Each structure stands twice: as C-alpha cells, then as structure tokens.
C-alpha cells in the first residue's frame, strides 16, 4: 500500500464504492491522489473483503454496470482490449471535458455524454457495446 504510479495498467477496471472511484487490476486497488497527481495503491474498499465480494458487486459498481459493457466482436486480444479501452477513455474525456476517474460529482449530463462518446469510440474499433 502507498506505492504511486503515473498510469494504471491498460486492463484495469473502474468500480465506484460510496461515490469514490477505485481502479482494480491484478488483485490490486488504486485511487487517484491529486496531491501528487498519481495513482496510489490502496486497501480494498471497506467491507468488500468481509462480504466476500468480487470487485463491482454489492454496494459498489464496476465500470460496466455503471456505464458500458464492451464485447470484442473482432477477436481483439486482451492487450488490444486494454489499449482500446484506455485510448477511448482519453478520447471521451477530450470530447466531453469530463473524466470519471478524477472523482467528484459530474456536471449535469456530462457523465452520460462521456459514456456515449466512449461507446462510439469502442464501436468504431470493433466492439459491441451495451
């Protein structure tokens, strides 16, 4: 705990727990630390281990249930999926001015616009998005 990283692994998942975004990859949880402008490794959200839950179950929401589920219909590798997801996230942030990984309340409509932009990008790269 307490290690800092400039970026997350390409294959991370976002889950929201009590309104706070957590990022999950390789059995490690991360949160954005604005005071150092990096991602910090943290303990799992309170209660998630005690309840025996997988990330995104119960009180929290995985990024898919909070926004999108993307299925690779063109046989993309796991590595390519992570790259596409990350690049589409960056593109959606640029289009909407909203970044859900930074926490805080979203301005009215910005969250919906962000997920629509991300879905359009992923569909353009050969994914079925729900």
């Amino acid at each position: 705990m307490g290690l800092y990283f400039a970026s997350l692994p390409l294959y991370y998942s976002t889950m929201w727990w009590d309104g706070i975004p957590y990022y999950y990859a390789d059995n490690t949880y991360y949160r954005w630390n604005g005071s150092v402008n990096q991602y910090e490794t943290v303990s799992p959200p309170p209660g998630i281990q005690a309840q025996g839950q997988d990330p995104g179950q119960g009180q929290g929401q995985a990024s898919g249930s909070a926004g999108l589920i993307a299925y690779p219909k063109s046989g993309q590798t796991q590595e390519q999926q992570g790259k596409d997801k990350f690049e589409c996230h960056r593109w959606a942030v640029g289009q909407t001015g909203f970044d859900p990984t930074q926490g805080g309340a979203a301005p009215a409509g910005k969250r919906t616009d962000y997920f629509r932009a991300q879905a359009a990008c992923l569909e353009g790269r050969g994914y079925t998005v729900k």
Side-chain angles (χ1 to χ4, degrees):
M1 303 302 139
L3 299 175
Y4 295 94
F5 297 90
S7 62
L8 293 168
L10 292 176
Y11 46 86
Y12 75 92
S13 297
T14 304
M15 64 175 286
W16 290 82
W17 193 269
D18 287 336
I20 299 169
Y22 285 79
Y23 311 99
Y24 180 80
D26 289 333
N27 295 319
T28 303
Y29 289 87
Y30 305 85
R31 287 201 39 215
W32 178 254
N33 185 325
S35 64
V36 295
N37 289 323
Q38 292 190 344
Y39 295 94
E40 179 180 11
T41 56
V42 296
S43 298
I48 198 165
Q49 287 182 326
Q51 297 173 12
Q53 296 173 337
D54 292 329
Q57 299 301 313
Q59 184 176 344
Q61 294 179 329
S63 58
S65 62
L68 304 176
I69 297 173
Y71 176 78
K73 65 181 180 182
S74 301
Q76 294 92 330
T77 64
Q78 193 75 359
E79 181 180 342
Q80 185 64 47
Q81 291 174 46
K83 182 179 177 187
D84 290 341
K85 180 179 175 183
F86 179 73
E87 290 175 357
C88 286
H89 158 74
R90 304 272 294 189
W91 184 80
V93 169
Q95 294 296 305
T96 64
F98 173 68
D99 187 347
T101 66
Q102 300 303 310
K110 287 288 187 179
R111 184 174 187 79
T112 301
D113 292 345
Y114 166 84
F115 285 118
R116 269 200 341 248
Q118 191 178 38
C121 179
L122 288 167
E123 286 173 349
R125 292 175 181 231
Y127 293 83
T128 298
V129 180
K130 300 285 180 187

